[in-house]
Amino acid sequence: MSLEKDQEYNKSNKNTFSAERRNKLSTMSSGLGKLPPQALDLEEAVLGALMLEKDALSAVIDILKPDVFYKDSHQKIFEAIQFLFQKSSPIDILTVTAQLRQQGDLEMIGGAYYITELTNRVASAANIEYHARIISQKFIQRELIRISTEIISNAYEDTTDIFDLLDHAEKNLFDIAQNNLRRDSRKMDEIIRESLENLEKIKDKVDGLTGVASGFTALDRITSGWQPSDLVIIAARPAMGKTAFVLSCARNAAVQFNKPVVFFSLEMSSVQLVNRLISGETEIEQEKIRKGHLAEWEWQQLHSKIGKLTEAPLFIDDTPALNIFEFRAKCRRLKAQYDIQMIIIDYLQLMHGKSDGKSGNREQEIGSISRALKSVAKELNVPVIALSQLSRAVENRPGGSKKPMLSDLRESGSIEQDADMVLFLYRPEYYGLTEDENGRSTIGIGEVIIAKHRNGETGTVPLRFVGKFVKFVDLEEDFSSPSGNNPNPFAGISPSQDFEKPSNFIIRPSRMDDIDDEPPF
């Protein structure tokens, strides 16, 4: 063979080899020809250990379930072991064999001989928990491959709705994490050490706040702020000022305390909410801002006062008909990007439990939503505040009192159960009650009734409702002052409450008391 022909032959073989190698690499990269992640030897060892020692299952009962086993026969054997455990029956070769025979699965798994062989593969259950975790990890890997394959397949379909695909993918991934990645129990010394570290951090705090401040002095004194991982339900009848109250809380946390807050508004648009914030911040009437009828000095006041509001870490999401999966995904992203410290939902009954918006029993759906909100609060370690409507039972209640009670919550069973705090908003003026039982005026007064407080005391906190600015302020706050700041150093403290006044303060009676017929407040 000539040199020229030899070079041509080598070049041809090289091209053939390259093509074969490319095809092989392509096949490997696509996942074809690969075995799914598995650990059959560990599955056999774990099943054998479960039949050797009676207490072995207690160590892995929260790690293993039938689906995590790769072989169908191993799934059947574990189902039989699990059934015996639930009946408090002994678990050994004979009882498991008898149970499999009763289920009609004994021949399918390989007969009694295979059961005996499993116990011969392991000497004891010493490392069963470690082996079980490896089996669980292999199952998670298989699930991730399955979900990824589905996503790839659906992504190529032109008829697939991209938002449904995103929601479905995130739901499947979340289900894997929820069902398989559970936290272990912690020893008492670790928890006490963490508790003492937290006490060291908060001992020097003068205001006594351990959570996100609401900005209302008397309310924060009772709650010590909205606490991390708490689900707070704020309920009221329509027109009581629910949105105004939580919007005031969001503004106070973001502007005064620089805490990142996200506000999910399912009822009002983001522009409407911002208009309310501008009205409260600039103390220009909401009606004027809505119509745009502002005088020249009001325009100047508006531009000079919205600076703090513009820079506040406050995020508003006005997605309508938000479902719980979208909500959870958005909260996670906001927590990762901006370290969100508080989540507000306006309001609970407008959320959907399923991505398709369909549901059966509404009370069951509300129950699943409230449980999911509590789960998000614990997962992200932030307070979640959700508004809720009250039933008409308040309006139809006989007698003069229209104050709401826990039984007035709509779909109240699960909401009341899941919530760490339940607060009611009540304005007597709305029902034509201008005086309370002690003869004091209730005009412009809003009561925050703490009906349930899992980690503290209950009570009623009076606030001032400023209707023209659509906001709540402390009862003693001079909301008509141009600065909008609180001039009273003892704001929020009841006149009947004993407190120690600082030595550099001197309190003198006002001369206006001499010309005012009414007794001083």
Side-chain angles (χ1 to χ4, degrees):
M1 185 181 293
S2 65
L3 179 62
E4 183 177 349
K5 288 184 178 181
D6 189 43
Q7 289 176 346
E8 185 177 349
Y9 175 78
N10 289 337
K11 183 178 180 182
S12 175
N13 282 348
K14 183 179 179 181
N15 291 337
T16 303
F17 172 74
S18 299
E20 290 176 354
R21 185 173 182 179
R22 282 197 301 270
N23 290 335
K24 185 177 180 182
L25 291 173
S26 176
T27 301
M28 290 178 65
S29 64
S30 64
L32 299 176
K34 288 186 175 181
L35 282 173
Q38 55 186 282
L40 293 180
D41 54 341
L42 292 180
E43 291 184 9
E44 294 171 353
V46 165
L47 291 173
L50 291 175
M51 290 183 285
L52 283 179
E53 298 186 14
K54 64 177 183 178
D55 297 327
L57 187 58
S58 301
V60 297
I61 192 67
D62 60 336
I63 302 173
L64 297 179
K65 55 186 178 181
D67 292 342
V68 306
F69 291 90
Y70 181 70
K71 287 183 68 173
D72 291 341
S73 59
H74 291 170
Q75 292 182 11
K76 296 294 183 182
I77 295 171
F78 187 77
E79 284 177 359
I81 292 173
Q82 201 174 43
F83 180 79
L84 293 170
F85 179 79
Q86 291 170 355
K87 289 178 58 180
S88 300
S89 300
I91 299 171
D92 54 35
I93 298 175
L94 298 178
T95 56
V96 172
T97 301
Q99 181 60 34
L100 286 168
R101 184 181 289 111
Q102 184 177 348
Q103 293 175 189
D105 297 325
L106 184 60
E107 297 304 320
M108 188 271 286
I109 61 99
Y113 174 77
Y114 186 72
I115 300 294
T116 305
E117 280 296 302
L118 289 177
T119 58
N120 291 332
R121 295 180 181 275
V122 63
S124 71
N127 301 316
I128 189 171
E129 185 174 351
Y130 181 76
H131 295 162
R133 292 193 184 280
I134 295 177
I135 295 172
S136 180
Q137 289 169 12
K138 298 298 181 183
F139 169 71
I140 293 173
Q141 287 178 277
R142 294 197 299 272
E143 286 294 284
L144 290 173
I145 292 171
R146 178 185 63 81
I147 293 170
S148 301
T149 304
E150 286 183 5
I151 294 171
I152 293 171
S153 176
N154 293 332
Y156 276 108
E157 295 291 335
D158 293 335
T159 57
T160 303
D161 185 274
I162 187 62
F163 297 105
D164 288 342
L165 178 59
L166 285 171
D167 180 61
H168 183 67
E170 186 145 16
K171 176 183 179 297
N172 286 337
L173 291 173
F174 178 76
D175 287 343
I176 292 177
Q178 283 290 96
N179 296 331
N180 297 282
L181 303 180
R182 300 185 182 274
R183 300 180 67 178
D184 292 332
S185 301
R186 301 173 64 191
K187 294 179 65 178
M188 182 58 70
D189 60 340
E190 296 179 14
I191 303 173
I192 289 179
R193 192 182 307 116
E194 183 178 337
S195 178
L196 291 176
E197 289 175 358
N198 290 334
L199 288 174
E200 289 289 335
K201 291 178 183 177
I202 65 176
K203 70 175 183 177
D204 297 327
K205 288 191 175 183
V206 179
D207 52 17
L209 293 174
T210 57
V212 180
S214 68
F216 302 116
T217 311
L219 181 60
D220 285 336
R221 184 181 295 111
I222 295 177
T223 64
S224 297
W226 310 118
Q227 298 300 311
S229 79
D230 273 7
L231 173 60
V232 181
I233 299 296
I234 299 177
R237 289 293 295 155
M240 284 291 168
K242 296 187 299 295
T243 303
F245 177 74
V246 292
L247 202 57
S248 297
C249 291
R251 179 265 169 202
N252 294 341
V255 175
Q256 292 183 0
F257 301 95
N258 199 35
K259 299 287 187 181
V261 179
V262 58
F263 194 110
F264 289 93
S265 176
L266 284 74
E267 188 175 32
M268 299 176 64
S269 71
S270 56
V271 174
Q272 289 174 319
L273 288 175
V274 169
N275 284 344
R276 286 193 174 197
L277 284 169
I278 292 173
S279 175
E281 194 71 16
T282 61
E283 296 188 347
I284 298 174
E285 293 183 19
Q286 167 73 11
E287 187 71 13
K288 289 186 176 182
I289 291 178
R290 187 175 64 84
K291 295 180 179 179
H293 296 165
L294 273 66
E296 184 62 30
W297 67 269
E298 289 175 323
W299 281 110
Q300 294 176 3
Q301 179 171 312
L302 186 148
H303 287 293
S304 65
K305 286 194 172 184
I306 62 173
K308 289 184 178 179
L309 200 59
T310 304
E311 298 172 359
L314 179 58
F315 305 87
I316 297 177
D317 187 313
D318 60 356
T319 304
L322 185 69
N323 67 64
I324 197 63
F325 305 117
E326 294 172 338
F327 168 77
R328 185 185 289 114
K330 290 182 177 184
C331 289
R332 284 174 176 162
R333 286 194 289 269
L334 287 165
K335 181 66 175 179
Q337 293 175 5
Y338 304 106
D339 192 25
I340 291 298
Q341 297 296 305
M342 185 165 70
I343 300 169
I344 299 174
I345 304 111
D346 182 14
Y347 60 92
L348 182 67
Q349 278 79 13
L350 291 179
M351 295 189 74
H352 291 290
K354 298 181 180 179
S355 58
D356 56 7
K358 299 177 182 179
S359 61
N361 187 303
R362 179 58 178 167
E363 186 169 351
Q364 292 177 352
E365 185 182 20
I366 291 294
S368 68
I369 292 172
S370 66
R371 286 190 296 273
L373 294 182
K374 177 60 180 177
S375 175
V376 170
K378 289 186 66 178
E379 178 188 346
L380 303 183
N381 196 35
V382 299
V384 173
I385 300 176
L387 300 188
S388 177
Q389 291 280 20
L390 287 177
S391 68
R392 296 181 182 272
V394 178
E395 314 289 347
N396 301 327
R397 185 177 298 142
S401 177
K402 303 295 182 182
K403 287 189 177 183
M405 301 181 295
L406 287 171
S407 58
D408 296 327
L409 280 169
R410 293 179 63 180
E411 297 96 14
S412 62
S414 54
I415 296 176
E416 180 184 343
Q417 175 183 335
D418 297 328
D420 297 280
M421 289 183 65
V422 177
L423 281 68
F424 295 121
L425 292 183
Y426 172 65
R427 291 196 297 117
E429 184 182 4
Y430 177 82
Y431 295 105
L433 305 174
T434 57
E435 291 185 349
D436 62 12
E437 56 273 12
N438 297 320
R440 291 175 297 194
S441 174
T442 60
I443 297 176
I445 301 297
E447 296 180 5
V448 180
I449 303 169
I450 305 175
K452 177 186 177 181
H453 192 184
R454 185 169 286 163
N455 302 308
E457 60 180 306
T458 59
T460 299
V461 176
L463 297 176
R464 178 78 65 187
F465 178 67
V466 192
K468 59 182 179 180
F469 302 146
V470 202
K471 69 174 182 178
F472 282 84
V473 295
D474 277 329
L475 192 59
E476 291 83 359
E477 184 172 342
D478 184 9
F479 55 85
S480 62
S481 65
S483 65
N485 295 326
N486 186 358
N488 186 354
F490 307 112
I493 299 177
S494 172
S496 61
Q497 183 176 348
D498 294 331
F499 60 91
E500 185 177 352
K501 303 178 181 65
S503 59
N504 59 335
F505 279 92
I506 300 174
I507 300 178
R508 293 191 176 135
S510 171
R511 289 185 178 181
M512 293 188 67
D513 293 341
D514 298 333
I515 58 175
D516 194 349
D517 293 332
E518 295 182 359
F521 180 75

